[in-house]
Amino acid sequence: MRLPFLQPSRRRLRSRVLLAALILLAGPLALIAVFRVIPPPLTPLMAIRLIEGYGLHRQWVRLEQIAPALAESVIASEDNLFCIEPWGFDAAALRGQYEAWQDGERPRGASTITMQTAKNLLLWPGRDPVRKVVEALLTPQIAIIWPKRRVLEVYLNIVEFGPGIYGAEAASRSFFRKPAAELSPREAAQLASVLPKPLAWSAVSPTPYLKQRAAVIEQRTGQIRPLLACAR
């Protein structure tokens, strides 16, 4: 038997759940739309690093004020197919990682620049499944709403290049004492080489391994030049 006095309570609960779901879906989408034209003031990673005791060094610049060599080096290092990916995913790389997981191997990751932008802009660091699912939901939204050059512009302005150092301009001035517009191809490759481990690796004092890695990135940039149209 239904109790009439419980029905309003259930309706209110259902309304609150629907409202919460709407906020969770529309909130990030609204931020993505806003950040298409406005530089993001702070990211979750920056806030976390501040709590951990790192500084906050950043200076937003337009993509035109960053040497094209850096965008090209980052694409060559992180995501060769960035300019031609329609949804922000590398389907072949994801399929390879899924097959590796099925074979009992540990997936090495298949994050694209668009996926990393979604993570750096709106999410927390880590590899937990919840974050990866949310990242997968946000990535195509960014890919649809933003042009490729905006993705590059935001990524190159918020990505972590060192302890408390975010973005191309702050990294270039901190490590090479020059604006990002004046980076040489080798310096750009050195910056791109530290992105997997910016707290452990240094672009200004590279180990032999990092020097080799930077040289490989510089060489690969030349090899995939036909795929770099969106970076120029």
Side-chain angles (χ1 to χ4, degrees), residues 87 98 107 110 117 133 155 161 221 230:
W87 299 100
Y98 176 71
T117 301
V133 169
Y155 180 72
F161 281 104
T221 301
C230 70

Side-chain angles (χ1 to χ4, degrees), residues 52 125 130 138 156 167:
E52 292 174 344
V130 173
L138 295 175
L156 291 176

Side-chain angles (χ1 to χ4, degrees), residues 32 114 117-119 121-122 138-147 151:
I32 290 169
T114 309
T117 301
K119 176 192 71 175
L121 181 65
L122 298 169
L138 295 175
T139 295
Q141 297 178 50
I142 290 177
I144 292 170
I145 296 174
W146 294 5
V151 177

Side-chain angles (χ1 to χ4, degrees), residues 72-87:
E72 294 173 350
S73 294
V74 168
I75 292 172
S77 173
E78 303 281 298
D79 184 7
N80 290 185
L81 302 178
F82 169 75
C83 290
I84 60 174
E85 292 160 353
W87 299 100

Side-chain angles (χ1 to χ4, degrees), residues 41-153:
L42 195 70
T43 68
L45 178 63
M46 293 175 189
I48 290 170
R49 292 286 189 252
L50 278 171
I51 294 172
E52 292 174 344
Y54 297 98
L56 179 60
H57 305 284
R58 61 179 304 214
Q59 181 179 341
W60 183 276
V61 293
R62 300 188 310 275
L63 186 60
E64 292 77 13
Q65 295 174 281
I66 301 174
L70 181 57
E72 294 173 350
S73 294
V74 168
I75 292 172
S77 173
E78 303 281 298
D79 184 7
N80 290 185
L81 302 178
F82 169 75
C83 290
I84 60 174
E85 292 160 353
W87 299 100
F89 298 108
D90 185 339
L94 288 172
R95 185 166 54 251
Q97 295 307 303
Y98 176 71
E99 291 172 354
W101 174 76
Q102 284 188 315
D103 293 338
E105 301 175 14
R106 181 179 179 181
R108 293 174 295 174
S111 290
T112 64
I113 288 174
T114 309
M115 294 170 70
Q116 293 179 54
T117 301
K119 176 192 71 175
N120 290 340
L121 181 65
L122 298 169
L123 302 176
W124 59 96
R127 294 181 177 273
D128 57 281
V130 173
R131 201 220 70 194
K132 296 299 290 185
V133 169
V134 178
E135 178 186 302
L137 294 173
L138 295 175
T139 295
Q141 297 178 50
I142 290 177
I144 292 170
I145 296 174
W146 294 5
K148 292 288 185 180
R149 289 182 62 80
R150 180 58 176 177
V151 177
L152 279 175
E153 184 174 67

Side-chain angles (χ1 to χ4, degrees), residues 203-224:
V204 72
S205 301
T207 63
Y209 168 75
L210 277 184
K211 290 180 180 178
Q212 182 183 16
R213 179 176 168 83
V216 169
I217 291 172
E218 194 172 4
Q219 181 183 28
R220 186 180 300 157
T221 301
Q223 294 171 341
I224 67 167

